[in-house]
Amino acid sequence: HDSAKFKPTSASLVKLGPGCYDHDFIPNCSCNPTCERCGYDYEPVGGRDCITCSDGSNVVPVYADGTGYCGTRMFKPGCYNDDYDLIPNCFCHPTCERCGHDDTPVMDRNCITCADDSEVV
């Protein structure tokens, strides 16, 4: 993700239709089904490339450009790698419901969501 690339403002997003965006609309590109609009990469089709969510919920930012994934309950409990693929035979820290962003994300600092539904700090 290139945060220096075009990033529409909230007002301009209203004018943009659903689909993939870089500097402009990307033809022949389909976003992940959870995303209404996705972007800022040359092929922004992953689950964490959302600009806006299909269900109207807020994007949970992953990148500095504000793109991310939709919904806090999008993934079942467990460990996830950087591509948000479930890591088999991995168990999160007891305070985490979902953890990730590491090869072995088992420390409390690796929480994506908390087991008690509190905010991750």
Side-chain angles (χ1 to χ4, degrees), residues 17-64:
C20 304
Y21 291 88
D22 190 348
H23 288 353
D24 296 305
F25 180 76
I26 302 171
N28 303 316
C29 177
S30 297
C31 297
N32 180 283
T34 63
C35 309
E36 179 183 35
R37 295 175 191 93
C38 55
Y40 313 136
D41 245 346
Y42 67 95
E43 191 179 16
V45 298
R48 56 188 183 155
D49 293 322
C50 298
I51 299 170
T52 59
C53 300
S54 295
D55 65 3
S57 65
N58 293 323
V59 171
V60 177
V62 173
Y63 299 110

Side-chain angles (χ1 to χ4, degrees), residues 50-100:
C50 298
I51 299 170
T52 59
C53 300
S54 295
D55 65 3
S57 65
N58 293 323
V59 171
V60 177
V62 173
Y63 299 110
D65 64 8
T67 57
Y69 63 91
C70 292
T72 57
R73 301 283 176 204
M74 178 178 167
F75 302 102
K76 62 183 178 179
C79 303
Y80 291 87
N81 64 21
D82 281 338
D83 293 323
Y84 282 83
D85 296 322
L86 191 62
I87 301 171
N89 303 314
C90 177
F91 300 95
C92 297
H93 186 271
T95 62
C96 307
E97 183 176 38
R98 293 171 194 84
C99 54

